[in-house]
Amino acid sequence: METGTAVPESEEAGPRWSGLPGGLLRMRRLLLVGWLGVIAVAAGTLLGVFVGPGWAVFALLPLALLGWGWVMLGRNWRSWRYAERADDLLISRGVLWREETVVPYGRMQLVEVTSGPLERRFGLSSVQLHTAAAATDARIPGLLPEEAARLRDRLTELGEARSAGL
């Protein structure tokens, strides 16, 4: 489910949702394997050496957590999506507790594109939307840099046009 250029909604079809690129899922799963793999090896080694070989079986707990986390990360990644509508931006996320954020273009004060070292390594950027009310600030993580820049420019343009009438 690679993300593409979002197409504005039509009157009868509703919003056109865009998902997040697969690089975000790969990055998060790599972090999961890295951290829990190190914990499993360290726990197995330390328990086996200091407590006894039978206790090393408890190193399987981080590996079980790794399997569960692998599935949950996939579900979480699939739940993230966003849609550009005529007057606002929709951001939807969540598996058990679904959360949908509506950010009116006229209320946007700042659109920020960030990319940390790990995100840059995987070719990703995040878009942070700041509004007048701190509770409605929204974020779209793990976008391709081209899509993040396009979204930033479009949202800034629409925000300036909508706020001019306030």
Side-chain angles (χ1 to χ4, degrees):
M1 184 165 134
E2 293 292 323
T3 186
T5 304
V7 179
E9 69 177 295
S10 64
E11 293 294 324
E12 61 279 344
R16 298 287 299 247
W17 292 98
S18 298
L20 301 181
L24 179 64
L25 180 61
R26 283 190 297 278
M27 179 185 78
R28 288 179 174 174
R29 283 182 169 167
L30 179 67
L31 287 171
L32 178 75
V33 168
W35 282 106
L36 289 179
V38 167
I39 290 171
V41 168
T45 303
L46 292 174
L47 287 172
V49 169
F50 293 112
V51 181
W55 288 91
V57 75
F58 283 104
L60 295 176
L61 290 176
L63 294 179
L65 187 59
L66 188 142
W68 178 78
W70 187 276
V71 172
M72 291 298 108
L73 284 174
R75 290 184 67 194
N76 179 269
W77 171 76
R78 282 188 298 277
S79 75
W80 276 87
R81 58 191 188 151
Y82 64 96
E84 300 171 54
R85 296 195 305 182
D87 296 320
D88 50 32
L89 177 73
L90 299 176
I91 302 171
S92 179
R93 65 194 167 279
V95 177
L96 292 177
W97 286 272
R98 201 89 186 122
E99 186 175 329
E100 191 166 290
T101 304
V102 179
V103 184
Y105 297 134
R107 298 290 182 190
M108 287 185 210
Q109 292 182 331
L110 174 68
V111 181
E112 187 175 35
V113 175
T114 60
S115 186
L118 196 56
E119 284 180 312
R120 282 193 307 274
R121 171 68 180 96
F122 283 86
L124 302 171
S125 296
S126 296
V127 174
Q128 177 78 37
L129 307 164
H130 299 278
T131 62
T136 58
D137 286 359
R139 182 174 182 265
I140 305 173
L143 294 173
L144 297 174
E146 305 81 40
E147 174 64 7
R150 183 201 68 79
L151 197 57
R152 178 200 59 215
D153 294 343
R154 176 164 164 68
L155 295 176
T156 301
E157 178 184 313
L158 289 168
E160 288 174 355
R162 300 293 196 283
S163 67
L166 294 178

